[in-house]
Amino acid sequence: MNGADRLCDVLLTNDVEVCFANPGTSEMHFVAALDRKPQMRCVLGLFEGVVTAAADGYARMAEKPAATLLHLGPGLANGLANLHNAKRARTPMINIVGDHASYHLQHDAPLTSDIESLARPMSHWVGRVEGPEDVGRATAEAYKAAMSLPGIATLILPADAAWGEVASSAVEQTKVPTPTTAPEEALGAAVAAIRSGGRTALLLTGRALRADALEIAGRIADATGVRLLAQMSNGRIERGIGRVPVTKVPYPVDEAVAALRDIDNLILIGAKVPVAFFAYPGKPGRLIRDDCEVIEFARPGDDLRNELARLAEELGVRPDAPAPVVQYGTGLDYPRSGQLTADAITLAVAALMPEKAIICDEAVTSGRRFFNLSQRSAPHDYIQLTGGAIGIGIPLAIGAAVACPDRKVIGLQADGSGMYTVQGLWTQARENLDIVTIIFANRSYAILQGEMRNVGVNNFGHNARRMLNIDDPALDWVSMANGMGVEAGRAETIEDFLNLFRGALARRGPFLIEAVI
Ligand SMILES: Cc1ncc(C[n+]2csc(CCOP(=O)(O)OP(=O)(O)O)c2C)c(N)n1
């Protein structure tokens, strides 16, 4: 066997069984090794930004990493924006980046580059395989890093390490360190803050936003009066009927400041102190009051559910108390006819989504109200753009659908952002993934138009219009989808939209709705 075979064995032994890929010549031995492993599902993305976002969506839903296969520095570089998003989501991922054979680097052949320097800013861990016999160790280290930090591990695999012979031997499952635990002092500080009489909030993210962890947080809130808040962007939230509701820190600075103004003590559960997405003249960067006390209780590598349970126990909260979950009520209402608007679509999706749907939100301005309007929807998962680098939505849905083939994935997709990784539609078709993509076709970069107005420019001149409108020519999403094998329809009224959406929910496989708003 060769190094590439060993690499596959280490991945498979650790239950890493999906590889999102876009290979090149330097990875051919790895491709050949994957070909000898039918247990590994290899999913081709036609651009590396599709590959990395799909691996992100997969891990958020499967709760285990996928591997990616990327072609040297340029292939990795194409995937970096979505690696950035995955890093912000703290998604476990193992990137295998091929490189030239070690002895070929001296020639500075055209595809040679400093892969480590490209990888480092968007990875939590970077390693290089030192030779065929080092593949097993290095892959296990990458897996361990992805699982325990948790986060992005990027492993560089020189071609001669992949093709070199290794002694055949059994591969053992890699031991992952047990999650870290918050120190007793931090626990004590959190308890003291909650008992201080001041207004206290728990700021949650990561694993703390799954249903079981939210139930514990909900019981703490009921028993002590603390508020529950989620970070502005999160990898995944389990929500809807039967789940403990949580509000997110709003995106607009003024709204966020108002929402956080009355908090005296902020207890971080895997989260970061809320800050504005961007700096604006005269507005604060930190969104909490200057005198708000911050208690960093649990950190990303901790078992956040367990940390909430420790906190509940220390506070004497009864573990069998009913959690304050959203109750079944009358169905949500939505408009049945008239002009199609972003809100009409949002309301229809919130009302009609099936149980266990996975909502992939990259709707940008069109989706601003979705989160609040879907609090009482059927139980669902909500996954979103985490790092602000647009172009994640279409492939994030791919990953979620590969991880959860029995669940409907609904992509809420802004048109400008959708164009960054539009070729992900081809992978949706090729893998016959059960995804409805709703394109909010406002034919503009609406958020940036708003930002221009925020800086006082109300009359856009020629150049600004050329940079902030995408209406000329109008994008024909139905043709683009059809051209990549995805059935599609265009909606110009609410009636059109409801017909197409109901039809898409009733069938399996990918479908795209261009909603002209
Ligand atoms: C990788 C990347 N490039 C550029 C931007 C800057 N940017 C932010 S929003 C946006 C346009 C968004 O337009 P669209 O997706 O259509 O959503 P809308 O604002 O119309 O709701 C751009 C270009 C970004 N955030 N990330």
Side-chain angles (χ1 to χ4, degrees):
M1 66 188 291
N2 64 25
D5 290 314
R6 170 64 50 79
L7 194 153
C8 292
D9 286 343
V10 174
L11 292 177
L12 283 167
T13 305
N14 287 309
D15 208 21
V16 178
E17 51 183 7
V18 178
C19 179
F20 296 97
N22 190 277
T25 306
S26 37
E27 296 82 43
M28 275 308 125
H29 286 83
F30 185 25
V31 171
L34 287 165
D35 205 30
R36 291 188 281 273
K37 303 287 180 194
Q39 318 89 292
M40 183 72 86
R41 179 168 177 187
C42 294
V43 178
L44 180 64
L46 300 185
F47 174 68
E48 292 84 349
V50 172
V51 169
T52 50
D56 186 1
Y58 173 88
R60 292 193 203 185
M61 294 311 304
E63 308 223 32
K64 62 180 187 174
T68 69
L69 193 183
L70 301 168
H71 184 50
L72 303 101
L76 169 65
N78 275 345
L80 282 181
N82 278 328
L83 267 193
H84 164 85
N85 287 324
K87 187 174 182 227
R88 288 283 164 179
R90 281 269 172 187
T91 299
M93 192 186 298
I94 304 167
N95 300 308
I96 309 295
V97 183
D99 197 4
H100 288 306
S102 50
Y103 59 84
H104 195 63
L105 287 173
Q106 60 181 322
H107 303 306
D108 193 31
L111 271 162
T112 307
S113 68
D114 181 353
I115 301 176
E116 276 88 345
S117 292
L118 289 168
R120 222 164 265 129
M122 273 65 164
S123 308
H124 293 96
W125 180 98
V126 179
R128 175 178 282 270
V129 177
E130 295 301 339
E133 288 295 354
D134 186 42
V135 170
R137 176 207 65 81
T139 312
E141 285 299 316
Y143 173 76
K144 212 190 294 179
M147 293 297 287
S148 55
L149 293 171
I152 311 297
T154 301
L155 181 63
I156 301 159
L157 176 67
D160 50 344
W163 74 53
E165 284 288 303
V166 298
S168 168
S169 62
V171 172
E172 283 174 21
Q173 207 171 335
T174 304
K175 285 195 186 62
V176 175
T178 47
T180 44
T181 306
E184 285 297 328
E185 310 84 75
L187 177 61
V191 171
I194 292 172
R195 291 194 173 139
S196 68
R199 289 157 302 186
T200 301
L202 301 182
L203 185 65
L204 310 161
T205 195
R207 184 72 185 73
L209 293 171
R210 301 286 203 284
D212 56 353
L214 276 171
E215 284 189 13
I216 302 171
R219 287 189 195 102
I220 295 174
D222 260 8
T224 65
V226 300
R227 253 172 79 187
L228 301 184
L229 273 173
Q231 264 189 184
M232 196 180 288
S233 347
N234 305 280
R236 174 179 171 191
I237 308 180
E238 287 184 322
R239 57 198 303 271
I241 292 166
R243 269 82 185 261
V244 172
V246 63
T247 49
K248 285 197 298 171
V249 174
Y251 176 88
V253 176
D254 297 338
E255 273 179 50
V257 169
L260 301 172
R261 186 174 292 138
D262 67 347
I263 297 174
D264 303 316
N265 308 299
L266 186 68
I267 300 175
L268 306 181
I269 311 287
K272 290 182 153 182
V273 172
V275 295
F277 226 83
F278 295 103
Y280 298 89
K283 296 200 179 191
R286 262 166 74 111
L287 299 169
I288 50 174
R289 274 193 347 247
D290 285 344
D291 62 343
C292 173
E293 198 196 334
V294 175
I295 298 109
E296 190 184 4
F297 170 47
R299 290 149 305 165
D302 296 342
D303 176 342
L304 300 182
R305 182 191 171 282
N306 191 48
E307 295 304 313
L308 283 167
R310 277 178 76 204
L311 183 59
E313 190 182 342
E314 198 67 18
L315 289 162
V317 175
R318 278 182 39 214
D320 57 350
V325 298
V326 175
Q327 302 293 328
Y328 278 92
T330 50
L332 297 176
D333 202 11
Y334 58 96
R336 314 294 160 117
S337 63
Q339 198 194 337
L340 194 57
T341 60
D343 274 359
I345 296 167
T346 296
L347 286 163
V349 174
L352 300 176
M353 72 166 84
E355 253 183 55
K356 294 174 73 186
I358 301 167
I359 301 289
C360 269
D361 184 1
E362 192 181 33
V364 193
T365 56
S366 300
R368 281 274 166 81
R369 299 187 63 212
F370 178 81
F371 194 81
N372 288 337
L373 293 174
S374 54
Q375 202 78 268
R376 312 185 69 79
S377 293
H380 64 278
D381 278 86
Y382 176 83
I383 63 179
Q384 67 174 139
L385 172 63
T386 40
I390 58 173
I392 196 177
I394 291 172
L396 196 70
I398 293 174
V402 169
C404 304
D406 56 343
R407 299 175 62 174
K408 196 80 177 176
V409 180
I410 300 174
L412 304 179
Q413 185 60 59
D415 52 358
S417 302
M419 284 303 292
Y420 285 64
T421 43
V422 64
Q423 59 280 69
L425 292 172
W426 179 86
T427 303
Q428 293 189 6
R430 160 184 263 212
E431 302 289 327
N432 192 28
L433 301 173
D434 198 12
I435 301 169
V436 188
T437 303
I438 300 168
I439 301 292
F440 289 86
N442 63 8
R443 299 178 178 163
S444 72
Y445 282 176
I447 192 170
L448 300 185
Q449 298 194 2
E451 296 287 11
M452 279 281 276
R453 290 190 196 96
N454 283 344
V455 300
V457 183
N458 283 311
N459 297 316
F460 299 169
H462 176 77
N463 273 345
R465 282 201 304 274
R466 298 298 287 173
M467 286 189 278
L468 303 179
N469 285 325
I470 55 171
D471 58 338
D472 179 22
L475 294 160
D476 181 348
W477 282 91
V478 174
S479 296
M480 284 192 283
N482 289 165
M484 286 180 267
V486 172
E487 283 186 52
R490 181 173 296 121
E492 294 183 346
T493 63
I494 292 179
E495 291 91 326
D496 292 346
F497 177 78
L498 291 175
N499 277 339
L500 288 169
F501 188 51
R502 285 210 174 91
L505 292 180
R507 69 207 282 284
R508 277 189 63 83
F511 191 85
L512 180 142
I513 303 172
E514 178 183 335
V516 182
I517 53 169

